[in-house]
Each structure stands twice: as structure tokens, then as C-alpha cells.
């Protein structure tokens, strides 16, 4: 997975995530929306300025005092934890 920062400020982050589709993007967006301090999280696979289909662009906005990059890390940690919990439950059921 390749990431490219498009725009970053203290409370906003836009990154392009190469090679991903709606499946991954919906999972990370959902986790971010549950992350404390995140006021908005969305993604776009066809931004107007692109002129066509692109890799997804994830945009995160946070409350004052909450670093957008740290919020992204917290959101991805939550996804990893949920996946690990699912794996453990699946293996216990087998």
C-alpha cells in the first residue's frame, strides 16, 4: 500500500491510498468516525480535479488540539484490533 500526502494541517489531512477500493476505504472511514476528536472522515475515488478515476483520497478533519495524523493512527489501530479479535473468535469457534 502506497500513501501520498496531498494536504496536511494540524486538524486536516488528505492522503491518496494507492491500490485500495471501497471495501478498505469504508472500513477505515468507519473506524475514523468512531475515533475521539475526529469531526469528519470521508473518501473520494473520483475527485473533480483528477479528470477521471484515481486511487482513493481519504480526508480527515479533527477538532482543535487533535492532530489529524495521530487520529489516523488511532483509527488504524482500532481496525487492527477488531481484525485480531475477529481472528481469535473465528479460531476459537473452529
Amino acid at each position: 500500500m502506497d500513501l501520498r500526502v496531498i494536504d496536511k494541517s494540524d486538524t486536516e489531512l488528505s492522503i491518496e491510498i494507492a491500490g485500495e477500493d471501497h471495501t478498505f476505504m469504508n472500513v477505515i472511514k468507519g473506524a475514523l468516525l468512531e475515533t475521539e476528536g475526529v469531526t469528519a472522515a470521508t473518501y473520494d475515488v473520483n475527485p473533480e480535479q483528477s479528470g477521471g478515476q484515481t486511487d482513493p483520497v481519504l480526508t480527515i478533519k479533527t477538532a482543535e488540539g487533535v492532530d489529524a495524523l495521530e487520529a489516523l493512527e488511532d483509527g488504524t489501530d482500532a481496525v487492527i484490533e477488531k481484525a485480531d479479535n475477529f481472528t481469535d473468535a473465528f479460531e476459537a469457534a473452529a
Side-chain angles (χ1 to χ4, degrees):
M1 173 183 309
D2 290 324
L3 305 176
R4 181 175 68 92
V5 175
I6 295 172
D7 188 34
K8 181 175 181 340
S9 68
D10 289 342
T11 60
E12 189 169 338
L13 175 67
S14 292
I15 58 172
E16 184 177 63
I17 304 175
E20 295 302 332
D21 59 18
H22 291 287
T23 304
F24 176 79
M25 298 307 296
N26 277 313
V27 169
I28 194 67
K29 179 185 83 170
L32 285 165
L33 290 172
E34 295 174 355
T35 300
E36 187 174 336
V38 172
T39 59
T42 188
Y43 73 92
D44 191 355
V45 293
N46 192 14
E48 287 182 34
Q49 69 273 20
S50 73
Q53 189 71 22
T54 66
D55 287 316
V57 175
L58 176 69
T59 301
I60 305 163
K61 294 182 181 182
T62 62
E64 287 296 323
V66 178
D67 184 79
L69 194 54
E70 289 178 14
L72 177 59
E73 183 177 6
D74 292 345
T76 56
D77 287 345
V79 171
I80 292 167
E81 182 179 346
K82 287 180 183 181
D84 288 345
N85 290 341
F86 177 82
T87 300
D88 293 345
F90 180 82
E91 289 173 352

